[in-house]
Amino acid sequence: MTMTIPVNSDSARDIAYHLHPYTDLAAHEERGPYIVCAGDGITVVDDAGNRYIEGLAGLWCTALGFGEERLVEAAAAQMRKLPYYHSFAHRASPPVIALAERLIELAPVPMSKVFFTNSGSEALDTLIKITWYYNNAIGRPKKKKIISRQRAYHGVTVASASLTGLGLVHKGFDLPIANILHTDCPHHYRYADEGESEEDFASRLANNLDQLIIAEGPETVAAFVAEPVMGAGGVIVPPATYFEKIQAVLRRHDVLFIVDEVICGFGRTGSRFGSQTFGLKPDMMSIAKALSSAYLPIGAVMISETVYRGLLSASKELGPFGMGYTYGGHPVSAAVALEALKIYDERDILNHIRRVSPRMQERIAALTDHPLVGNTRGVGLIGGAELVREKATKESFDASKKVGQLVATRALDHGLIVRPLADDIIAFCPPLIIKESEIDELFDRFERALNDTAAELNV
C-alpha cells in the first residue's frame, strides 16, 4: 500500500534528494525513510517521538550507546585545538601518534605499525594493496591471489566488495575483480553433511581450502581473509577447531592471514578482539566501528613487523609509500577513539560484557522453541536467529515473502530495531553497555514480533 507523504516534509525531501545505501530504491519512493532524531543509552527516538531499543548498535558499531558526553567533549576539545591535519609527507598530530601507540599495545598478537583509514571498507581495500605491494617488494610478483569466503562481509569499495561473498554487492557492479577467490562458508547448520560433527565439518573445509590453494598454485596465493564471527553474512560463529585447522593450511603454503576485526574488535565477543576469542594469529588486521564507538568515522589496519619490513624495503627503492586518504588519521576522530578506549578500560567494559552476555546467549538460544526459528547462534554480545518454514528439514521461506523483513517491521511496532539479513536471518548486536534487564526487554519485544509474524503467516 502506498503511503501518503506530506509535501515538503523531511520524508518527501529525503525521497527527492537522498540516495540511500542498502535500500530498495523503488520501495523507498513509496514509503520514505524512518527518521531518527535523537538517542541516549541503548535507545533512539524517531521524528514522531517513538523510542526504540537499538538492537544492532546502529550498524554493529555504537558500542558505548548514544549520548556519551565524554566523546562529545573529546571531539569539541580537539576541534578547538587542531580541527584538521593530515599524515602525508612525514606530518603527524599528537592524537594520531597516541592512538597508533595505544593500538599497538592492545593488539592481540605483536604488530608493528598502524595505518589509518576512514572506514572498514577502506581498511580492507588498503590491506589488499599492502598485500600486493609486500609481495612485489620481496620478489614474489605472482603471489597476488586473495581468498575470502562465501557469505563473508568485508566492505563495499571495488576491492573490498570483491572480498565480500554476498551476491547483492556483486550483481550489477561487475564484481568480483580478478585475483579474488572464495572458499566455503563455515556455517555448520546450513552446509554440514547429515550427521557431520563440527570438527569433521571444519576438517572438510580446511581440506577444501588446502586443495584450492594447491589447484591455484601456492606461489600465486598471497592471503586469506576472515572475520572471527561472520557478521552481515548471517552472524556465523566458527565451528569447533575451524580456525585451528585453517591456520595450519595457511602456514603450510606461506599465505598471509588477514583478520577483519571491524565488527568483533573492542569487546564484542567477550575478549578485546575476536582473534583472542578464537585463537587467531593474524599477520594483518582491520579495525573500525567500535574504535570510536561510531561517534566519528575512523578505521585502521595493523601490520606485522615482517610485512612492514617488506614495505620499507620497497619504499627505499620506489620512493614514498603511495597510499593515503585525506581524512585518514584525522586528529578529531583519533581524539574520540582515544577517549573511547579509555572509557572501555575505566568502566571495565570487557568484564561487563562477560557478566551480561550469558543472559543474552540464553535468550537467543531459547528462541529455537518458537515455530519460526530453526537455528540460533552467538558469542558475547552478538547473535543471530535463522527463520525457517520447516524446522525438521531446515527449509527456508520463499525469498519473495521477505519474512525476515516482516519480523523486523513487527519489531519496530514493539519498539525494537533489529536487522534482517539474507536468508531470513535476524541479527542482534546491541550496544556493549546494555544491562541484563535491558537484554530481557529486548528479547521480550522480539518474541512479541515473532508471535505477530507467526499469526500473520498462520504458522
Side-chain angles (χ1 to χ4, degrees):
M1 182 175 66
T2 302
M3 298 173 60
T4 301
I5 298 175
V7 177
N8 293 327
S9 65
D10 284 349
S11 291
R13 290 161 54 226
D14 181 86
I15 293 168
Y17 304 117
H18 185 188
L19 179 63
H20 282 254
Y22 281 102
T23 297
D24 183 324
L25 302 182
H28 190 73
E29 289 204 347
E30 294 184 359
R31 70 174 68 136
Y34 292 103
I35 301 175
V36 175
C37 298
D40 60 89
I42 68 163
T43 65
V44 294
V45 181
D46 69 14
D47 58 344
N50 301 305
R51 184 174 291 273
Y52 305 87
I53 294 175
E54 222 320 340
L56 205 82
L59 283 174
W60 325 81
C61 53
T62 315
L64 293 171
F66 301 86
E68 176 51 66
E69 284 297 322
R70 282 180 57 177
L71 300 185
V72 175
E73 290 304 316
Q78 184 59 44
M79 287 281 281
R80 294 186 187 102
K81 186 179 296 183
L82 181 68
Y84 169 75
Y85 215 69
H86 61 85
S87 298
F88 285 37
H90 310 282
R91 272 58 172 179
S93 62
V96 174
I97 296 168
L99 181 59
E101 179 181 33
R102 184 62 178 140
L103 290 173
I104 293 297
E105 292 171 351
L106 295 176
V109 297
M111 288 285 170
S112 178
K113 298 291 184 292
V114 179
F115 181 95
F116 288 104
T117 69
N118 302 289
S119 68
S121 290
E122 282 187 3
L124 269 297
D125 204 279
T126 299
L127 285 169
I128 292 172
K129 292 181 72 176
I130 287 175
T131 298
W132 292 342
Y133 192 90
Y134 168 73
N135 277 304
N136 286 335
I138 64 172
R140 302 193 304 196
K142 293 182 180 179
K143 203 168 176 70
K144 297 294 171 59
K145 295 172 185 173
I146 300 177
I147 300 175
S148 182
R149 301 179 294 175
Q150 297 294 337
R151 299 180 71 143
Y153 190 89
H154 297 295
V156 293
T157 62
V158 169
S160 65
S162 295
L163 293 178
T164 294
L166 299 170
L168 181 65
V169 304
H170 293 168
K171 291 183 294 186
F173 294 109
D174 295 344
L175 297 177
I177 59 174
N179 284 329
I180 304 296
L181 309 172
H182 292 86
T183 190
D184 306 278
C185 172
H187 188 0
H188 183 264
Y189 174 74
R190 274 291 161 204
Y191 304 129
D193 294 334
E194 187 173 354
E196 189 174 36
S197 69
E198 288 194 21
E199 292 83 353
D200 288 343
F201 179 57
S203 295
R204 176 161 64 85
L205 268 54
N207 183 66
N208 288 350
L209 175 62
D210 186 51
Q211 293 304 308
L212 175 60
I213 294 171
I214 291 170
E216 293 291 330
E219 73 283 359
T220 73
V221 179
F224 174 82
V225 58
E227 306 153 88
V229 175
M230 300 178 83
V235 191
I236 298 163
V237 179
T241 72
Y242 171 77
F243 276 119
E244 173 188 339
K245 292 168 179 173
I246 290 294
Q247 289 180 102
V249 172
L250 303 181
R251 288 192 297 269
R252 184 156 60 247
H253 296 296
D254 193 15
V255 173
L256 294 171
F257 188 19
I258 299 171
V259 176
D260 183 348
E261 290 272 8
V262 167
I263 286 177
C264 294
F266 305 104
R268 181 58 60 184
T269 63
S271 303
R272 194 178 297 277
F273 292 98
S275 292
Q276 293 160 316
T277 300
F278 298 106
L280 310 188
K281 305 295 183 185
D283 298 291
M284 298 187 282
M285 294 170 50
S286 60
I287 53 176
K289 294 192 184 291
L291 175 56
S292 68
S293 189
Y295 276 50
L296 282 175
I298 188 170
V301 305
M302 289 193 271
I303 62 173
S304 68
E305 179 69 11
T306 298
V307 173
Y308 172 67
R309 288 291 157 188
L311 306 191
L312 182 63
S313 67
S315 183
K316 289 177 180 177
E317 178 184 346
L318 301 175
F321 180 55
M323 265 296 293
Y325 306 100
T326 299
Y327 304 112
H330 195 293
V332 182
S333 295
V336 171
L338 277 169
E339 191 66 17
L341 295 179
K342 289 177 185 176
I343 292 172
Y344 294 145
D345 287 343
E346 290 173 16
R347 296 183 188 166
D348 201 8
I349 293 294
L350 275 177
N351 277 322
H352 169 76
I353 294 165
R354 292 165 185 159
R355 283 192 299 271
V356 303
S357 59
R359 183 56 178 165
M360 175 160 157
Q361 295 306 321
E362 180 183 340
R363 290 300 303 262
I364 291 173
L367 294 175
T368 55
D369 294 335
H370 197 277
L372 289 180
V373 180
N375 179 256
T376 62
R377 56 263 182 185
V379 62
L381 287 178
I382 186 170
E386 189 158 342
L387 311 178
V388 295
R389 184 177 180 276
E390 175 56 56
K391 282 176 178 279
T393 63
K394 305 180 186 177
E395 179 188 353
S396 299
F397 286 97
D398 188 296
S400 66
K401 292 186 177 295
K402 299 182 179 180
V403 173
Q405 183 60 60
L406 179 58
V407 170
T409 300
R410 294 294 164 263
L412 286 173
D413 296 339
H414 293 287
L416 171 64
I417 296 172
V418 290
R419 185 177 179 186
L421 306 174
D423 298 330
D424 294 326
I425 296 165
I426 304 296
F428 306 94
C429 186
L432 299 180
I433 60 171
I434 194 169
K435 301 171 185 174
E436 200 166 284
S437 60
E438 293 170 329
I439 289 171
D440 282 329
E441 182 61 29
L442 186 161
F443 283 98
D444 288 347
R445 295 183 187 191
F446 184 70
E447 287 176 0
R448 291 196 286 272
L450 281 178
N451 291 336
D452 289 351
T453 305
E456 197 167 334
L457 297 174
N458 294 314
V459 174

